[in-house]
């Protein structure tokens, strides 16, 4: 055992040096290098074991998964099924849908993550009435006021409206009857927030599955799935080895990008204590999964110590760390590599099955409490009988969302008789339908004039089926004022 460990360490040291040289990661270079070193890496497709790839959760740290996929492809390692949790489900889903690691890297590094992780839409999409409200200097927090008089707050800090559109593009706007029919069979892992049970998503709308798997409680909105309300899968299974094992795998390649528990000296504030609580909770479900790995399996743990779960802007660094970690595991990975011709055939078969949009056959709107579904369907105006015109549809969807009636305006694409069924899922703000906003304005001309204003605005939505709303507001201060206006969004 000591000799074997020493041999692996020596090999890894050599690989680390070569990785930093950056010249050996070429199409055939890895396999050639392994052959020169006498490691006999090649197996035929007929005799090889089925390989399951497990991509764990970890926020932005999960962008390292893309680098690992790059090296797996360079090393000609075929993947027979892929399972992901949270950010891992996004990368796994895109790969299963037919994206290449190069395409994923381009999108991840060029994306405006500050914008994607913001609920704000471009000002030009806002209605004139909302633009005029800017003069009132309203603060960003809008309190809900129930008809019963109860004051309410949003259940999530950030809408995933923009992330959903990003994921639609990543998965080609496509539809399959089952995730087994994807280019690579795929599973996303989520958690039932009511009872804490793991939920394995295997069919339906692939983007909905991704959103459910990444729905960090309190940060992103939970996702309804049948009778369940789903949140981030990391609460139940952050590295779902057992799911991949039951799906297809004789051999597991598991990637753990989760943050390790803090040292005692680093737990020195309320925030760090809360952070440690989350880390320990996740670690409790990760340990038994990693303990279940056998000698045939491979665990890859990128060195991400200085990169946090919010470092989306450092995508290039994270992807590079993934490449480095996978490179250091080539000694173990090499025994599962295919000959070049056989891997090329496998890759061509994968890309030939990539998702693609189908003609939209029907449009449905899920029931709502206050909002008329017919006027919503008319507002997005989806053409039947042709594939969804994504750019036009997403623009119209964003315009409707910008009117402020919804916390989310989601949609699902599901297979329906060889075509697509588009289901609009408007999520009405659960802290409405009445809202209170407050504003504060102060100024000076540096000559003794110091005007100020305190503003309160009440907004009542959906007075009628055409979206009529009333907006009385009261201003106190240097000048007192009161006004009332009525608007209709959809007439």
């Amino acid at each position: 055992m000591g000799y074997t460990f020493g041999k692996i360490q020596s090999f890894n040291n050599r690989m680390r040096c070569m990785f930093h040289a950056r010249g050996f990661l070429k199409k055939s270079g890895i396999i050639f290098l392994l052959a020169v070193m006498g490691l006999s890496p090649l197996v035929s497709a007929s005799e090889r074991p089925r390989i399951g790839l497990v991509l764990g959760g970890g926020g932005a740290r999960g962008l390292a998964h893309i680098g690992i996929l790059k090296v797996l492809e360079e090393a000609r390692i075929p993947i027979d099924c892929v399972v992901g949790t949270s950010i891992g489900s996004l990368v796994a889903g895109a790969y299963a849908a037919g994206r290449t690691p190069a395409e994923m890297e381009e999108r991840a590094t060029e994306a405006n993550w500050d914008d994607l992780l913001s609920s704000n839409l471009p000002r030009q999409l806002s209605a004139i009435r909302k633009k005029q409200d800017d003069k009132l200097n309203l603060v960003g927090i809008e309190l809900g006021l129930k008809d019963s008089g109860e004051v309410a707050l949003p259940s999530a800090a950030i809408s995933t409206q923009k992330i959903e559109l990003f994921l639609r593009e990543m998965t080609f706007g496509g539809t399959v009857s089952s995730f087994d029919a994807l280019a690579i069979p795929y599973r996303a892992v989520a958690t039932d927030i009511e009872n804490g049970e793991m939920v394995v998503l295997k069919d339906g709308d692939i983007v909905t599955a991704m959103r459910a798997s990444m729905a960090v409680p309190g940060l992103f909105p939970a996702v309804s799935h049948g009778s369940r309300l789903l949140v981030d899968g990391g609460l139940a299974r952050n590295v779902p080895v057992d799911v991949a094992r039951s799906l297809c795998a004789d051999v597991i390649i598991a990637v753990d990008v989760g943050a390790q528990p803090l040292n005692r000296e680093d737990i020195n504030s309320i925030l760090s204590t809360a952070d440690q609580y989350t880390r320990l909770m996740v670690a409790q479900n990760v340990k038994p999964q990693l303990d279940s790995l056998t000698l045939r399996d491979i665990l890859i743990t990128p060195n991400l110590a200085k990169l946090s779960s919010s470092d989306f802007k450092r995508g290039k660094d994270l992807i590079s760390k993934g490449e480095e970690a996978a490179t250091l595991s080539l000694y173990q990975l090499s025994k599962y590599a295919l000959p070049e011709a056989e891997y090329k055939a496998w890759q061509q078969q994968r890309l030939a099955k990539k998702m693609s949009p189908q003609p939209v056959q029907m449009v449905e709107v899920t029931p709502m409490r206050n909002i008329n579904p017919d006027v919503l369907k008319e507002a997005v105006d989806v053409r039947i009988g042709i594939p969804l015109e994504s750019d036009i549809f997403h623009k119209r969807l964003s315009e409707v969302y910008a009117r402020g009636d919804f916390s989310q305006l989601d949609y699902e694409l599901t297979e329906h008789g060889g075509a697509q069924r588009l289901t609009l899922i408007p999520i009405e703000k659960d802290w409405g339908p009445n809202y209170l906003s407050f504003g504060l304005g102060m100024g000076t001309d540096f000559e003794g004039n110091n005007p100020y204003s305190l503003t309160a605005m009440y907004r009542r939505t959906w007075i009628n089926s055409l979206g009529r709303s009333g907006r009385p507001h009261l201003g106190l201060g240097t000048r007192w004022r009161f006004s009332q206006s009525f608007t209709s969004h959809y007439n």
Side-chain angles (χ1 to χ4, degrees):
M1 179 65 75
Y3 170 76
T4 303
F5 179 77
K7 184 177 179 182
I8 293 174
Q9 287 294 96
S10 175
F11 179 84
N12 284 348
N13 288 337
R14 281 179 284 167
M15 281 295 181
R16 184 178 287 107
C17 293
M18 292 176 182
F19 175 82
H20 288 298
R22 305 295 296 174
F24 82 108
L25 279 176
K26 300 298 179 184
K27 196 70 179 175
S28 303
I30 292 176
I31 302 301
F32 173 76
L33 181 64
L34 294 171
V36 168
M37 290 180 153
L39 299 178
S40 303
L42 306 180
V43 296
S44 70
S46 60
E47 64 187 26
R48 73 174 182 85
R50 292 175 59 79
I51 299 173
L53 178 63
V54 178
L55 303 181
R61 294 160 64 98
L63 296 179
H65 293 316
I66 298 172
I68 287 164
L69 285 171
K70 289 176 67 177
V71 174
L72 291 179
E73 288 207 344
E74 293 286 354
R76 302 203 290 266
I77 310 297
I79 303 300
D80 296 287
C81 64
V82 59
V83 177
T85 293
S86 197
I87 184 73
S89 77
L90 274 57
V91 177
Y95 193 61
R99 285 288 178 196
T100 66
E103 291 172 337
M104 286 188 273
E105 179 178 27
E106 179 183 5
R107 283 158 177 78
T109 54
E110 294 183 0
N112 183 342
W113 288 101
D114 284 342
D115 182 58
L116 286 176
L117 297 172
S118 165
S119 300
N120 297 324
L121 289 173
R123 192 171 186 272
Q124 59 265 31
L125 293 178
S126 297
I128 293 176
R129 179 70 264 180
K130 287 194 69 177
K131 293 176 182 177
Q132 291 173 340
D133 289 343
D134 291 345
K135 300 176 182 177
L136 303 178
N137 297 310
L138 299 174
V139 298
I141 300 174
E142 186 178 57
L143 298 178
L145 189 63
K146 304 284 188 181
D147 287 332
S148 63
E150 177 187 357
V151 176
L153 290 170
S155 59
I158 300 174
S159 165
T160 53
Q161 187 71 30
K162 297 178 186 177
I163 296 174
E164 175 173 1
L165 304 187
F166 177 76
L167 296 178
R168 290 287 170 199
E169 195 276 333
M170 286 287 280
T171 54
F172 304 100
T175 306
V176 288
S177 58
S178 162
F179 297 164
D180 289 337
L182 290 166
I184 299 174
Y186 163 71
R187 297 290 185 269
V189 174
T191 305
D192 186 325
I193 195 171
E194 185 175 7
N195 55 31
E197 292 179 354
M198 177 179 70
V199 178
V200 179
L201 300 166
K202 61 180 181 179
D203 53 26
D205 179 65
I206 188 170
V207 171
T208 299
M210 292 176 174
R211 287 196 307 109
S213 185
M214 60 160 276
V216 179
L219 183 62
F220 299 128
V223 175
S224 294
H225 182 75
S227 62
R228 294 178 181 267
L229 189 62
L230 303 182
V231 295
D232 194 289
L235 296 176
R237 199 77 91 250
N238 204 47
V239 185
V241 171
D242 55 345
V243 178
R245 192 91 68 188
S246 63
L247 177 58
C248 83
D250 302 313
V251 169
I252 295 289
I253 299 174
V255 186
D256 181 11
V257 294
Q260 298 301 307
L262 298 170
N263 296 321
R264 180 172 178 175
E265 57 269 21
D266 295 324
I267 307 171
N268 50 25
S269 68
I270 294 175
L271 292 178
S272 62
T273 301
D275 183 25
Q276 179 75 338
Y277 173 80
T278 303
R279 293 181 186 221
L280 291 174
M281 181 172 57
V282 172
Q284 293 302 309
N285 72 62
V286 169
K287 186 177 186 303
Q289 295 299 304
L290 300 188
D291 288 346
S292 73
L293 296 174
T294 69
L295 293 176
R296 299 183 73 192
D297 302 324
I298 299 166
L299 173 63
I300 301 175
T301 307
N303 180 12
L304 305 174
K306 295 183 179 180
L307 295 164
S308 77
S309 60
S310 60
D311 277 335
F312 286 97
K313 290 183 179 179
R314 299 186 63 182
K316 290 183 179 180
D317 294 332
L318 287 156
I319 292 169
S320 179
K321 288 292 186 180
E323 290 182 66
E324 182 177 357
T327 300
L328 295 175
S329 298
L330 281 173
Y331 181 87
Q332 300 102 303
L333 290 167
S334 64
K335 55 188 160 186
Y336 303 122
L338 286 179
E340 185 171 359
E342 292 186 20
Y343 185 79
K344 184 178 180 180
W346 176 86
Q347 186 69 285
Q348 288 175 341
Q349 184 180 34
R350 183 181 84 85
L351 296 177
K353 292 182 66 178
K354 72 180 182 181
M355 295 182 79
S356 60
Q358 305 298 320
V360 176
Q361 188 179 64
M362 59 191 303
V363 178
E364 298 178 345
V365 182
T366 58
M368 294 171 282
R369 296 190 312 273
N370 303 303
I371 300 174
N372 187 335
D374 291 332
V375 295
L376 181 57
K377 188 184 295 188
E378 183 178 340
V380 297
D381 190 25
V382 176
R383 296 170 62 188
I384 301 298
I386 63 172
L388 184 66
E389 299 166 301
S390 295
D391 291 343
I392 296 173
F393 175 67
H394 289 168
K395 182 176 184 296
R396 290 173 180 162
L397 205 67
S398 296
E399 289 171 348
V400 175
Y401 175 71
R403 293 167 181 169
D405 295 320
F406 309 101
S407 60
Q408 291 275 130
L409 188 50
D410 303 325
Y411 71 95
E412 292 186 349
L413 295 171
T414 51
E415 190 171 272
H416 184 77
Q420 284 184 334
R421 171 172 31 211
L422 189 152
T423 304
L424 282 168
I425 308 175
I427 311 297
E428 295 172 274
K429 290 182 175 179
D430 55 7
W431 63 100
N434 314 303
Y435 307 95
L436 283 173
S437 299
F438 299 93
L440 172 64
M442 302 179 70
T444 182
D445 62 2
F446 300 103
E447 295 182 0
N449 295 313
N450 302 298
Y452 72 95
S453 65
L454 299 172
T455 303
M457 185 177 75
Y458 169 76
R459 183 165 66 93
R460 168 71 195 196
T461 61
W462 288 91
I463 297 172
N464 64 19
S465 63
L466 293 176
R468 188 170 178 80
S469 63
R471 310 161 76 92
H473 86 266
L474 174 67
L476 307 176
T478 306
R479 290 193 306 162
W480 287 44
R481 62 189 183 277
F482 175 81
S483 67
Q484 167 117 327
S485 63
F486 292 92
T487 57
S488 292
H489 285 323
Y490 300 95
N491 58 354

